[in-house]
Amino acid sequence: MAAMTAQLLADQLGRDFPAFRYQEAPTFSWSPTTHTITYQAEADAGHLLHELAHAILEHHTYQRDITLIDMERQAWEYAAATLAPRYGISLTMDDDIVQDALDSYRHWLHARSTCPDCSAVGIEIRKQHYRCLHCNSEWHVNDARNCQLRRRRKK
């Protein structure tokens, strides 16, 4: 990927996509509530394109954890296929930054879906509630996208 920083790109995106606010912050994120995209100024521009893709694709909420994984994939695909070429940035779905980002969500989902009783994989039966396919235990998980995962057994 080209060495353009997120700060240089944010200045251009502010002119090209004025419906969104761009704000330097410790992490990359998209807030549909405030229409704000936050970014790390000296980081790779690909992550900023990814957050812009969430905004353009109107990613607001999700009902199932697997839906979040799909939204992440969609945003990376849009960033790579549509946004990156527009700004002369080399970004593909095979790039390490894309796969590392997607892997982090895959690991997140696996951790949430692992049964606290027998360590088998469970399924999400409703938002933030899982059931084990092996021992039939149920547990609740916190949001935990940006904090430590907590799993509580259902009583």
Side-chain angles (χ1 to χ4, degrees), residues 6 19 38-39 50 62-63 70 74 83 85 90 92 96-97 104 106-107 111 115-116 120-121 131 135-136 150:
T38 62
Y39 63 91
H50 168 77
Y62 61 96
Q63 291 304 310
D70 188 47
Q74 289 173 17
L83 297 172
S90 174
T92 70
D96 286 344
I97 69 158
S104 73
R106 292 177 192 121
H107 294 302
C115 178
V121 174
R131 178 178 296 134
C135 72
N136 214 31
R150 302 270 188 232

Side-chain angles (χ1 to χ4, degrees), residues 65 107-114 130 139-152:
D65 291 346
H107 294 302
W108 170 83
L109 180 58
H110 184 262
R112 292 167 73 77
S113 65
T114 299
Y130 282 81
W139 63 96
H140 173 82
V141 295
N142 62 345
D143 188 32
R145 283 181 291 167
N146 298 315
C147 60
Q148 184 176 4
L149 172 64
R150 302 270 188 232
R151 293 178 298 179
R152 293 181 295 281

